[in-house]
Amino acid sequence: MAGGAHSQPEIQIQVHSRKGGNSVYPVEPAMTTTGGPAFYREIKHFKKWFPWLIPSFVIVNVVTFLVTMYVNNCPNNSVSCYAGFLGRFSFQPFSENPLLGPSSTTLEKMGALDVNKVVREHQGWRLFTCMWLHGGVFHLLANMLSLLVIGIRLEREFGFVRIGVLYIIAGLGGSLFSALFIKSNISVGASGALFGLLGSMLSELIINWTIYANKIAVLVTLVVIIIINLAVGLLPHVDNFAHIGGFVSGFLLGFVFLIRPQFGWVSQKYASRTYSASAKPKFKMYQMVLWVVSLILLIIGFTSGLVMLFRGVDLNDHCSWCHYMSCLPTSRWSCNTEPVSCMSEQTINQLTLTCSNSNKTRTYPLSNPSTSKIQGLCTQLCR
């Protein structure tokens, strides 16, 4: 009506199913000129993103594994291989690597986390490269399926920038925490970054508590999933320190990166042309407190962790029970992960190896074997 007051657009609240529960978010009605029913569009702070980064991460991990198997070249570096019809892509024997993958020597060559090389040879880049390597086909499949299920959902909600940065930093946090405890073995895998995404889901629920319709159900579901995954890390040959470090990093990063504005501010911003003196704040006080505290803890944690790492600190010396967080010994398995070494004796056409750990001896019909082949045979003999 001419000369009449302009009506303010109404902000609607819709319920959206997410993460096993219901979350609510505001939408803005688009104006129509025909008088027909209005259609709704998502406002900027709650828009849905097209997930492309997480699938790209999966592709990078798969390609890296294929390159690792090509470099491994089992037929040329081992007496026996599994699935020999794959040629140089065949796997190390089950006795050496039950995950269907390369040798530890190859993984170390490709950038696995080796604390001695990080500290003594200043190869800090291994903290980053290890999260793109995997110990075998089973390891790769488990991590990539989890990454697709968790990562795509988060990227759709929060965009590729925030989820990508969170994934990388959480992975580094997992590598750093692992390096402070595991000194004699190498570590590989995207598990630290994956647990970071899982931790961020929990902190996102807490910091955006008012968005969820079924808060308790979502919280219980997440806690159960987290407990189960951490419990799996108590098995031998699984780096639970990377899981814990990645989870804690992701949990704190979730408070920093995944915070959403409160609905009162959103409604006021999109429904009013001007802001009054009583304008509602963008975030609630508890959100700001969690944001500041988490950022401070992240800075302190990463700084102190890096300082301790490059000073050669072994946290096992200050925590006699912490090794149980990564492997809990039972009557069915042992947590002994001491590195293997062998004494070798080379004749014209024979190589004799004696395992220093168990005194087992075996002779191989080899002449002038390479160092990597001797290391692979030693690992097979001692395991």
Side-chain angles (χ1 to χ4, degrees), residues 101-148:
S103 66
S104 57
T105 303
T106 300
L107 288 172
E108 186 174 0
K109 184 188 303 182
M110 292 293 294
L113 179 58
D114 184 331
V115 176
N116 288 327
K117 291 185 179 294
V118 171
V119 177
R120 297 177 183 175
E121 301 180 24
H122 307 290
Q123 297 181 3
W125 46 268
R126 290 180 178 272
L127 294 169
F128 174 78
T129 56
C130 68
M131 72 176 73
W132 306 98
L133 298 170
H134 287 84
V137 173
F138 297 145
H139 190 200
L140 178 69
L141 287 177
N143 278 350
M144 294 305 100
L145 289 175
S146 300
L147 178 58
L148 288 172

Side-chain angles (χ1 to χ4, degrees), residues 57-67 140 144:
F57 282 170
V58 172
I59 293 174
V60 170
N61 277 278
V62 172
V63 170
T64 303
F65 180 74
L66 292 176
V67 172
L140 178 69
M144 294 305 100

Side-chain angles (χ1 to χ4, degrees), residues 210-265:
T210 56
I211 292 178
Y212 287 86
N214 297 325
K215 303 176 179 64
I216 302 301
V218 177
L219 178 62
V220 170
T221 302
L222 275 177
V223 170
V224 169
I225 292 173
I226 291 167
I227 290 176
I228 292 175
N229 280 274
L230 288 176
V232 171
L234 297 177
L235 296 172
H237 309 299
V238 178
D239 186 3
N240 212 29
F241 289 120
H243 296 175
I244 296 171
F247 176 80
V248 174
S249 299
F251 181 72
L252 295 176
L253 287 165
F255 289 127
V256 176
F257 289 137
L258 308 186
I259 185 173
R260 289 191 188 274
Q262 59 172 313
F263 286 161
W265 178 86

Side-chain angles (χ1 to χ4, degrees), residues 293-322:
V293 171
S294 298
L295 184 60
I296 293 174
L297 289 177
L298 281 167
I299 294 173
I300 293 175
F302 273 87
T303 302
S304 58
L306 287 171
V307 170
M308 287 189 291
L309 173 63
F310 288 103
R311 286 186 175 180
V313 175
D314 186 348
L315 289 186
N316 291 296
D317 296 335
H318 306 279
C319 180
S320 59
W321 55 269
C322 283

Side-chain angles (χ1 to χ4, degrees), residues 180-212:
L180 292 173
F181 284 96
I182 299 179
K183 301 294 184 179
S184 58
N185 293 292
I186 63 171
S187 177
V188 295
S191 302
L194 278 172
F195 270 81
L197 294 181
L198 198 58
S200 70
M201 290 176 69
L202 180 59
S203 56
E204 189 268 327
L205 169 63
I206 296 172
I207 200 169
N208 301 318
W209 187 252
T210 56
I211 292 178
Y212 287 86

